[in-house]
Amino acid sequence: MNLAIYGAQGTALGAYQAIHNLYPIRKIECFLVTSCGDNAESLAGLPVLELDSYADGLSEDEKNNVEILIATPETVMQEIEKSLDKKGLRCHVRLTSSRFAQLQSFHCTCDKKFLPLTALPVGYHKADMHVFMAKFYKDKELSEKYLKSDWITPIQVGAVLCRERIANILDCEGEHISEKNVNYSELTALYWIWKNRLNGQWSVNAHGYYGLCHYRRILELSDDDVLRLEDNEVDVVLPYPMSYEPDIEKHHKRYIKDRDWAALLQALEELSPEYAAVFPDILAQPYLYNYNIMIAKKEVLAAYCSWLFPILERVEELSIPKGRERNDRYIGYMGETLATLYFMANRNRMNIVHAGCRFLT
């Protein structure tokens, strides 16, 4: 049975690469989309086709001999299934975030590019974990209950901008930039962690692992994974990077305006010339660390934040219009770019491992 992948973004391309690497005899025909729109005409050398034209060109026997792997955000999978059924393509399966993580784990172990946390031996010492889950007062309720680990603590982001309270910890307490949430998104929580847990009056633990996740996006670590951290001297856990064609510079320019991109480059040149020098090489490769989520040793995360936030503050000053004059989350997108730059530039001196990012619906 042939295979077609529904989707044309990072998840779909990552699924193709993993399947092609692990099961090279499995024939993948094409990528499918509802509408070509801004999607590329091809990915990985395969055509990107609109569902209607693809399905209308198949006989009934051919429709019964093709499997559709749905590799899109989980929030739209149900509607895609309805469209496939309507077109007579009834052999389809969802690539959920958990399944995608498993696929990436096997693929990355085989490919040896991005070490999975699960590849490390289980240790004896349980790491001291402090991970904060960014929540916004407009977040919709999850359709399914999720039992979060006891080391995950909710923090309300943008709390200074509203009166409603949805968490016991607010990003407007202590030293903060809560009012910048409209541009920084979840990074106002990371700033709060930096100033009030890694440093400052509430910083009490000399060691341990600290991190950030989202209300709907979390790094999935099992109890065994927590035991892998300390004894294997893991510096940071990142989500498996997403893959984009032809490179991440072209991908970012779809989301970041040219003037803002120029501001980012200038800020790097001024404040971190050593990273500016390697930035072109990082941009020329296809892998991006999405979502601004991570778990790291306290000192490693503090060093990253000390590097990151001055650059972002300078970007705000250089932007046209300036950061305080807008509310389009552009700083949050730049945070993903800078996380990719920082950790890929340091991959030879840090012990970086990867885990699946689960999307909660």
Side-chain angles (χ1 to χ4, degrees), residues 120-133:
L120 301 179
V122 177
Y124 294 96
H125 299 94
K126 184 177 180 180
D128 184 20
M129 303 283 287
H130 307 272
V131 176
F132 294 85
M133 175 184 281

Side-chain angles (χ1 to χ4, degrees), residues 281-346:
D281 291 337
I282 302 298
L283 291 172
Q285 54 84 48
Y287 298 104
L288 172 71
Y289 287 121
N290 280 310
Y291 316 128
N292 292 312
I293 64 176
M294 63 193 70
I295 300 172
K297 284 181 179 178
K298 182 177 183 180
E299 59 272 23
V300 171
L301 190 59
Y304 170 62
C305 291
S306 297
W307 174 84
L308 173 69
F309 285 105
I311 294 172
L312 294 179
E313 184 178 3
R314 182 59 177 149
V315 169
E316 286 186 278
E317 296 171 355
L318 295 169
S319 299
I320 303 173
K322 295 185 182 297
R324 62 179 176 273
E325 300 167 350
R326 58 201 290 184
N327 58 348
D328 56 4
R329 300 178 63 188
Y330 79 112
I331 294 293
Y333 290 126
M334 289 187 180
E336 295 176 328
T337 307
L338 292 172
T340 303
L341 168 60
Y342 185 86
F343 290 109
M344 287 199 172
N346 288 296

